[in-house]
Amino acid sequence: MTFDRSLKIAPSILSADFANFGLEIQAIEDQGCDWVHVDVMDGHFVPNLTFGPPLCAAIRPHIKTVMDVHLMISPVDQYIEAYAAAGADYITAHVEAGAHTHRTMQAIRATGAKAGVALNPATPAGEVEYLLDMVDMVCVMTVNPGFGGQKFIHSQIEKVRQLRAMIGDRPIHIEIDGGVTPETAPLVVAAGADVLVAGSAVFKGGSVSNPAPYGENIRAIRAATVK
């Protein structure tokens, strides 16, 4: 994948119809999304339980864009190879998930996947300063991880600005996960973000039999970031 910093909309399938993942993925891609975001939760690191490697492997053939797998799990290292084998293009692990984040990033890259590191709202930007030469993406959680549909935490905008300055000209994406809407998207993009994860904001009002609202929602988010 060639790096570019153009805006990418990554709908989270956590907000999709679980009985129709294949059709939901086809619908959001047909309606203009750039990546497909898969939120993996373990009921331990975060208070919810979602998708294992078999689910990721099952939906991989339906994804024609980028499979962006966000591991909200701890411990994380022992599951990296399984998610890579399931077809993840990006694998993101939390800096809070273990004592050896540097090793975790090495392990992700060793699989051939792109490495992402995520920061919870209370974690300062400086926690990833010494990882920037070995990651492909920094994910800023703008809600507390574990559930969709939460309210955007505005204090994270300054964290995005700090990360944008720290990253400099390195080919690293800044991803925003949580509370992305047409109202919050321009705030984080102006601060330096270029990948926006949106769940309910994309899937609201639509379905596999009526996917047009997905496209309307994606375009609304994208349009809001254009001055």
Side-chain angles (χ1 to χ4, degrees):
M1 292 177 285
T2 303
F3 180 85
D4 74 89
R5 220 179 286 283
S6 62
L7 181 65
K8 295 162 187 63
I9 308 296
S12 168
I13 63 167
L14 190 64
S15 295
D17 177 356
F18 282 24
N20 287 292
F21 274 140
L23 292 174
E24 289 277 54
I25 289 165
Q26 179 182 338
I28 57 175
E29 290 190 333
D30 287 348
Q31 291 296 322
C33 82
D34 302 286
W35 293 8
V36 174
H37 188 81
V38 183
D39 285 307
V40 175
M41 305 181 190
D42 64 358
H44 167 70
F45 182 68
V46 294
N48 204 348
L49 189 64
T50 59
F51 314 124
L55 184 281
C56 290
I59 65 174
R60 175 71 261 193
H62 299 276
I63 297 174
K64 309 305 179 189
T65 54
V66 170
M67 187 180 194
D68 176 30
V69 176
H70 180 187
L71 301 182
M72 287 171 272
I73 65 177
S74 178
V76 64
D77 288 7
Q78 65 230 52
Y79 297 102
I80 289 169
E81 288 189 5
Y83 282 98
D89 295 302
Y90 280 80
I91 297 176
T92 296
H94 276 250
V95 70
E96 306 89 358
H100 304 288
T101 316
H102 190 282
R103 181 184 297 160
T104 300
M105 296 301 110
Q106 286 180 318
I108 294 171
R109 280 195 160 179
T111 68
K114 300 288 188 181
V117 62
L119 292 165
N120 282 341
T123 305
E127 288 292 311
V128 300
E129 182 176 1
Y130 294 101
L131 298 170
L132 292 179
D133 288 325
M134 59 185 311
V135 302
D136 302 285
M137 183 164 66
V138 179
C139 174
V140 177
M141 295 300 302
T142 44
V143 299
N144 284 297
F147 294 98
Q150 297 184 68
K151 187 177 180 181
F152 181 88
I153 300 173
H154 283 263
S155 62
Q156 302 307 294
I157 297 170
E158 178 57 29
K159 185 186 295 183
V160 176
R161 291 194 190 98
Q162 292 171 9
L163 287 165
R164 178 67 263 160
M166 288 166 54
I167 287 169
D169 61 359
R170 295 178 178 93
I172 299 173
H173 296 294
I174 298 178
E175 180 176 71
I176 302 301
D177 190 349
V180 170
T181 67
E183 291 70 43
T184 59
L187 305 178
V188 291
V189 169
D194 61 297
V195 181
L196 305 182
V197 176
S200 54
V202 166
F203 284 98
K204 67 179 180 181
S207 65
V208 294
S209 60
N210 178 33
Y214 298 166
E216 294 167 5
N217 295 335
I218 290 169
R219 289 190 292 275
I221 294 170
R222 204 183 299 278
T225 68
V226 178
K227 294 182 178 180

